[in-house]
Amino acid sequence: MFKRVLVANRGEIALRIIRCLRELDIESVVVYSTADEQSLPVMLATHSVCIGPARADESYLNEDAVIETALKMNCDAIHPGYGFLSENAGFARKCEKHHLVFIGPSSEIIEKMGDKQAARKLMQQNGIPVVPGSKELITDAEEAAKIAEEIGYPVLIKASAGGGGKGMRRAFDRAEVLKAFEMAKAEAKAAFGDDSMYMEKLVLKPHHIEFQILADTFGNITYLGERDCSIQRRNQKLLEESPAWILNDALRKEMGETAVKAAKAAGYYSAGTVEFILDDEGNYYFIEMNTRIQVEHPVTELITGVDLIKEQIRIAAGMKLTHTQDEIKIKGHAIECRINAQNVGKVDFIHFPAGYGVRVDSHLYTGYEVSPYYDSMIAKIIVKGNTRLDAIRRMRRALEELILEGISTNAEFMYLLMYHPAFIKGNYNTAFWDEHSETIMKWEEEGRSGGNE
Ligand code: ADP
């Protein structure tokens, strides 16, 4: 097993990894920017090294500074968390070159899955359903319009290097394709430095269902149930739950086995997520594979009892999975709410919920300064109940206990969401935000002004 691991991340995920390393008796070295000097990861890691100024491209994304620190501090491995360098094949390659273990799959696998059009092709060749769409990359808007006619409207134009919903545009007719293609391409160029584009049929109101998989380097692959991440705002996930209410056991097994097949096709090892969209008729399609730990991994941990970060570290150290597929038992129901900051500044006071069935992953404390330089997610509130309704009730009481002064957040929205009839019924898909967010915001408004009188 490793003796010392560098954590190349910040915030709640850096904490999550540092805590796990401590439980494994592995020393941690966290790298940080000047903006994070007073952060919990820096306080809790065995060692910490400042690698640059606040701007991520000069610190958390500075590949050479991270590698140099790992070498200087005698680390055996690097955990990249999510975001930042986690899906950067070039960085993984640099780690391999310097004999530092990248806690994730090989650079070759990251590259293969990071090119979304190439991943689609690979899946198709292996008999995994993909959304009907372009066979090759699309070079210009005219070609895009031609392909859209063939597929049939509406279509979704996507960036092959895409992530976080960027470089993605819908189009319902020819004029829209011509315009959307150029916009998506420019956005992809700016965000990823790569404007390779492809196209899929736009599935109307699908469910976003993803399967967690774990694979070791001995060829053992398991799936640990699914997560429904359909509640999204501009393609960004807001709430995740497991199990997905709309799946029955037969479909769960079929999709889980398909996810394992997808991982096999990629020659995958480490923790990973196979994302599908699912329509109301039970048709499902592969959309992409994420080759890292996900923000929403705790919901899977709560219902399976498997520590995904621990497994990921063990796999990277060349150890076998601790379980077989038959040993994975889904128990209860888990929900995660992402709490996002709506302004930056000082946390004047914070009190987090706790108690039976409640987990909070957050790097905040009273006096902490929320920085404008990074992601706005400041906490994840995760609950587990015996049933879905138990979990919903527990989430309500957890959010009632949350006190956060100095920073405004979406916590109230999340609380009201727990009372929305469509959510309670589990009757929702990726159109939920467009269809219901206004109602919930109106409730919020009314709550503030003291009612309807
Ligand atoms: P990113 O990597 O940028 O997150 P994804 O390919 O995972 O991009 O898609 C993001 C979201 O967009 C998905 O969660 C899903 O809700 C929606 N989506 C993706 N592909 C389609 C499609 N073909 N039809 C309808 N919705 C889609």
Side-chain angles (χ1 to χ4, degrees), residues 116 131-132 156 158 162-166 168 170 192 198 200-208 229-230 232 235-237 275-277 287-288 290 430:
K116 287 161 76 171
V131 193
L156 188 62
K158 288 183 159 187
K166 292 208 184 81
M168 209 157 92
R170 300 160 169 219
F192 316 111
Y198 69 106
E200 283 177 357
K201 183 151 183 74
L202 177 73
V203 179
L204 292 171
K205 305 188 181 187
H207 303 264
H208 174 115
C229 315
S230 301
Q232 305 178 355
N235 296 316
Q236 298 271 14
K237 297 163 187 166
E275 295 191 341
F276 296 101
I277 47 175
I287 50 170
E288 68 166 338
N290 288 323
T430 51

Side-chain angles (χ1 to χ4, degrees), residues 148-419:
E149 304 290 333
E150 286 166 21
I151 304 172
Y153 290 103
V155 295
L156 188 62
I157 298 161
K158 288 183 159 187
S160 199
K166 292 208 184 81
M168 209 157 92
R169 283 276 191 295
R170 300 160 169 219
F172 288 79
D173 57 38
R174 184 184 149 83
E176 280 186 12
V177 169
L178 296 175
K179 204 169 130 209
F181 183 82
E182 297 301 345
M183 279 165 70
K185 197 174 163 78
E187 197 175 290
K189 181 91 191 161
F192 316 111
D194 177 346
D195 60 0
S196 309
M197 306 303 292
Y198 69 106
M199 190 187 289
E200 283 177 357
K201 183 151 183 74
L202 177 73
V203 179
L204 292 171
K205 305 188 181 187
H207 303 264
H208 174 115
I209 305 289
E210 57 182 38
F211 277 77
Q212 176 69 51
I213 64 118
L214 281 172
D216 64 21
T217 48
F218 301 90
N220 302 305
I221 312 183
T222 55
Y223 67 93
L224 294 94
E226 76 286 359
R227 296 183 285 258
D228 190 328
C229 315
S230 301
I231 300 203
Q232 305 178 355
R233 174 176 180 251
R234 297 199 202 112
N235 296 316
Q236 298 271 14
K237 297 163 187 166
L238 282 177
L239 173 147
E240 302 91 355
E241 64 175 314
S242 186
W245 208 230
I246 48 150
L247 290 195
N248 57 37
D249 286 342
L251 188 54
R252 173 168 301 115
K253 185 160 189 283
E254 185 184 327
M255 289 178 77
E257 285 169 359
T258 304
V260 167
K261 200 163 133 195
K264 248 185 209 143
Y268 200 81
Y269 63 88
S270 188
T273 299
V274 182
E275 295 191 341
F276 296 101
I277 47 175
L278 169 73
D279 68 19
D280 287 330
E281 276 78 59
N283 302 304
Y284 60 91
Y285 309 95
F286 168 91
I287 50 170
E288 68 166 338
M289 179 163 189
N290 288 323
T291 57
R292 53 170 165 82
I293 198 74
Q294 310 255 116
V295 173
E296 59 272 25
H297 76 273
V299 292
T300 301
E301 295 183 326
L302 290 190
I303 58 152
T304 59
V306 176
D307 183 328
L308 294 171
I309 304 273
K310 201 168 279 179
E311 292 289 328
Q312 199 188 18
I313 294 169
R314 286 173 48 92
I315 295 164
M319 297 164 90
K320 283 190 178 155
L321 292 187
T322 54
H323 56 269
T324 61
Q325 188 64 59
D326 286 345
E327 286 163 356
I328 299 296
K329 299 271 182 277
I330 307 290
K331 203 158 173 260
H333 194 99
I335 302 177
E336 170 181 278
C337 286
R338 298 191 188 193
I339 306 299
N340 297 321
Q342 286 160 345
N343 64 306
V344 296
K346 193 166 156 210
V347 176
D348 293 323
F349 180 78
I350 190 155
H351 171 79
F352 278 130
Y356 189 76
V358 177
R359 165 173 168 182
V360 178
D361 281 19
S362 171
H363 54 292
L364 258 57
Y365 57 85
T366 296
Y368 177 83
E369 284 274 343
V370 176
S371 161
Y373 289 96
Y374 313 109
D375 196 85
S376 62
M377 191 181 78
I378 51 171
K380 306 190 300 204
I381 313 274
I382 315 118
V383 299
K384 184 191 173 181
N386 290 336
T387 63
R388 185 168 185 270
L389 195 53
D390 273 345
I392 292 175
R393 287 177 183 279
R394 185 156 289 145
M395 182 62 85
R396 290 176 183 167
R397 85 98 173 128
L399 291 169
E400 279 167 11
E401 280 179 36
L402 175 70
I403 306 173
L404 217 173
E405 285 167 12
I407 302 286
S408 70
T409 70
N410 63 336
E412 208 176 323
F413 182 94
M414 287 300 183
Y415 180 66
L416 294 168
L417 171 60
M418 293 298 124
Y419 284 90

